[in-house]
Amino acid sequence: MNEIEYEMSRRVLRLWLLVLSSALIALILNLVRIPITLDWYRPEFVVMVIIFWGVAEPHRIGLSTAWILGLLMDVLENGILGVQALSLSVIIYLTYLLHPRLRAFRIVQQSATVFLLVGIFQLLVRIVNGVLGPVPDTPLYWMPSFTSALIWPFLVLILRLLSRAWRITD
């Protein structure tokens, strides 16, 4: 193995370590107990992380990553198995379709797109859960779309800094 191939394999390993650690932190943030009144405002951290990595590394982060992460979310949140996995897979597919535009967008435009993608995620989860049982009937259900869009610039900044520090991107 020559030096270039060796460095590329180390870059891929560092990428996966960062993806897995950011996904783990996002899962923890989704599970941390907060007061019930604030729970409606909790951003969809896992969805935002999968969108970020889907834009940053579209040929490495795809449907299988989203599916596994979604199944993990279903298990950890004691939900119906496959609901969030299916919804995250749809989101990563849409992200893959939009990633050239998302890379060119300014951060405000990216936040608006994240607002829509998180809203689609919530809609898919709501539809499937609505078929299988009762769902909350409150406008507060859609608040995570707003809070995710507000937090998006900070998440991008943190993950870009980490990517550069771990020499994944330039």
Side-chain angles (χ1 to χ4, degrees):
M1 182 183 293
N2 64 27
E3 191 175 321
I4 294 173
E5 290 173 344
Y6 178 72
E7 183 55 36
M8 286 301 293
S9 65
R10 289 185 50 92
R11 179 195 171 275
V12 170
L13 177 63
R14 287 190 307 263
L15 167 69
W16 280 107
L17 285 173
L18 186 55
V19 168
L20 290 175
S21 59
S22 62
L24 180 64
I25 291 169
L27 281 168
I28 290 169
L29 288 172
N30 271 6
L31 295 174
V32 170
R33 293 230 182 252
I34 59 175
I36 192 81
T37 55
L38 296 177
D39 200 37
W40 289 106
Y41 301 97
R42 182 192 311 259
E44 290 287 351
F45 291 106
V46 175
V47 179
M48 289 190 301
V49 165
I50 204 77
I51 291 169
F52 176 85
W53 289 116
V55 171
E57 295 288 336
H59 302 295
R60 297 210 191 276
I61 309 302
L63 288 173
S64 57
T65 307
W67 183 261
I68 292 168
L69 198 54
L71 282 177
L72 198 54
M73 284 174 62
D74 286 329
V75 169
L76 292 174
E77 294 178 1
N78 201 19
I80 300 166
L81 196 61
V83 173
Q84 294 189 49
L86 172 67
S87 301
L88 264 185
S89 296
V90 169
I91 296 307
I92 197 65
Y93 177 72
L94 292 173
T95 302
Y96 183 75
L97 292 177
L98 294 171
H99 91 270
R101 290 184 191 102
L102 279 168
R103 283 179 163 228
F105 283 170
R106 294 173 188 228
I107 199 72
V108 173
Q109 294 169 310
Q110 285 181 3
S111 289
T113 307
V114 166
F115 169 77
L116 292 173
L117 289 172
V118 171
I120 291 169
F121 173 81
Q122 291 182 282
L123 180 64
L124 292 170
V125 169
R126 186 177 175 91
I127 288 171
V128 175
N129 284 337
V131 168
L132 300 173
V135 292
D137 191 25
T138 175
L140 289 175
Y141 179 82
W142 305 103
M143 283 308 296
S145 297
F146 291 107
T147 56
S148 297
L150 290 174
I151 288 178
W152 177 254
F154 302 106
L155 179 86
V156 169
L157 177 67
I158 291 167
L159 289 176
R160 280 187 185 163
L161 288 173
L162 287 172
S163 295
R164 288 185 185 128
W166 286 27
R167 295 189 330 246
I168 295 171
T169 59
D170 296 328

